[in-house]
Amino acid sequence: MGGLQRFEQRLESMISGAFARAFRSAVQPVEIAAALQRECDNNAQILSRERRMVPNDFHVELSQVDLDRLAPYDSALADELVHQVQEHAETQGYVFPGPIAIEFEKAEDLTTGRFRIRSKAAARVQSNATFTQVRRARAVLEINGTTHPLQPPGVVVGRGTEADIRINDPGVSRRHIEFDVQIARGSASDGRASETPHIEVRDLGSTNGMLVDGHKVTRAGVRDGSEVRVGNTTMTVRVLEDEDGGGEGPFV
């Protein structure tokens, strides 16, 4: 029995045919499952003779009609689709850069029965920063849905265990880039103390280099909204407003 047949059987036993009736004239779940498998096949990146990396972040775009019909079952279907993608990956020798995520979204240009899949490889990101450090930071890095403080004197980003922020991306070197962070202290117009972050990013001799706001450089100053890309991963710099003048950040 093929993987897609097992997928259909699991759905039927789980929801007793209600899903199939709802989708009789619209998008069929097995079509989505097959398309997710093709998305993996078409975007596999060779890491070695036996390992290929595939996307792990999927967005299934549907018409409003199909999305409404899907709504009562979307969580259950997403779980089954994740299981199906994992099963397909095991048979093909694929690896994922991070956890699999599948979301359903509305697309204005799609009619009933039509769907589209967007995917990307979203690497797992880890650091040793505490929640308090993130709250008090004057600047942060946003990476694949995670937030990490940019603190003086600097932060190293890479794939290795010695990096402050670790990204599970094969295109990232063990020590890829470093953010140099300085805090300039002064006085605001009302006399309160103020803190302004000055941030520069530099390449640490990585294999693949970096892009800052779309330009390949070895060193550059960054500001709020600047995007730094290493490997397949894009990180965004956020400089936070010092609302209370005390250097505690806007969340205190």
Side-chain angles (χ1 to χ4, degrees):
M1 180 184 297
L4 293 177
Q5 288 177 304
R6 289 194 296 272
F7 169 76
E8 284 190 302
Q9 286 190 351
R10 288 198 302 268
L11 274 185
E12 288 175 1
S13 63
M14 181 176 61
I15 57 181
S16 303
F19 192 97
R21 289 194 297 274
F23 270 69
R24 185 171 294 122
S25 61
V27 172
Q28 300 297 318
V30 69
E31 294 175 343
I32 299 176
L36 289 170
Q37 292 183 179
R38 289 194 300 272
E39 193 73 11
C40 290
D41 296 340
N42 294 337
N43 292 281
Q45 300 181 40
I46 297 175
L47 302 180
S48 66
R49 286 185 60 182
E50 299 179 353
R51 297 173 68 242
R52 288 177 290 173
M53 187 181 73
V54 295
N56 61 315
D57 186 73
F58 302 93
H59 296 259
V60 182
E61 298 182 344
L62 301 155
S63 70
Q64 185 65 64
V65 171
D66 285 330
L67 199 61
D68 290 342
R69 290 175 177 173
L70 172 65
Y73 320 102
D74 56 357
S75 296
L77 177 58
D79 290 343
E80 284 301 320
L81 288 170
V82 167
H83 181 85
Q84 177 62 26
V85 170
Q86 289 174 326
E87 188 177 86
H88 179 66
E90 290 173 2
T91 63
Q92 299 299 316
Y94 295 153
V95 295
F96 301 100
I100 301 172
I102 298 176
E103 296 185 7
F104 302 99
E105 300 175 352
K106 182 180 72 171
E108 299 288 353
D109 62 323
L110 293 178
T111 57
T112 303
R114 303 294 297 274
F115 69 95
R116 179 171 56 234
I117 293 177
R118 293 183 292 107
S119 68
K120 65 179 180 179
R124 180 186 291 108
V125 184
Q126 297 174 296
S127 76
N128 296 325
T130 65
F131 177 70
T132 299
Q133 288 174 320
V134 175
R135 289 179 67 237
R136 293 185 173 180
R138 298 295 301 113
V140 298
L141 273 182
E142 295 178 350
I143 316 171
N144 293 347
T146 63
T147 302
H148 308 269
L150 286 172
Q151 299 174 312
V155 175
V156 173
V157 178
R159 185 166 45 85
T161 55
E162 64 270 30
D164 300 304
I165 300 175
R166 299 173 293 282
I167 303 178
N168 183 33
D169 182 332
V172 173
S173 297
R174 297 185 64 81
R175 285 171 52 88
H176 199 114
I177 59 175
E178 182 172 17
F179 288 88
D180 296 316
V181 183
Q182 297 181 6
I183 300 295
R185 292 177 171 83
S187 298
S189 58
D190 59 2
R192 295 187 304 170
S194 64
E195 296 183 338
T196 304
H198 292 282
I199 308 167
E200 188 175 80
V201 61
R202 59 190 178 95
D203 188 273
L204 296 177
S206 66
T207 301
N208 297 317
M210 69 172 177
L211 297 176
V212 177
D213 293 327
H215 302 286
K216 189 164 188 176
V217 295
T218 58
R219 180 185 289 266
V222 293
R223 59 186 185 279
D224 183 51
S226 290
E227 292 188 343
V228 181
R229 184 173 179 84
V230 292
N232 296 301
T233 302
T234 298
M235 56 196 78
T236 304
V237 176
R238 296 295 182 197
V239 177
L240 308 176
E241 293 289 339
D242 190 5
E243 293 181 354
D244 65 359
E248 293 286 321
F251 306 106
V252 175

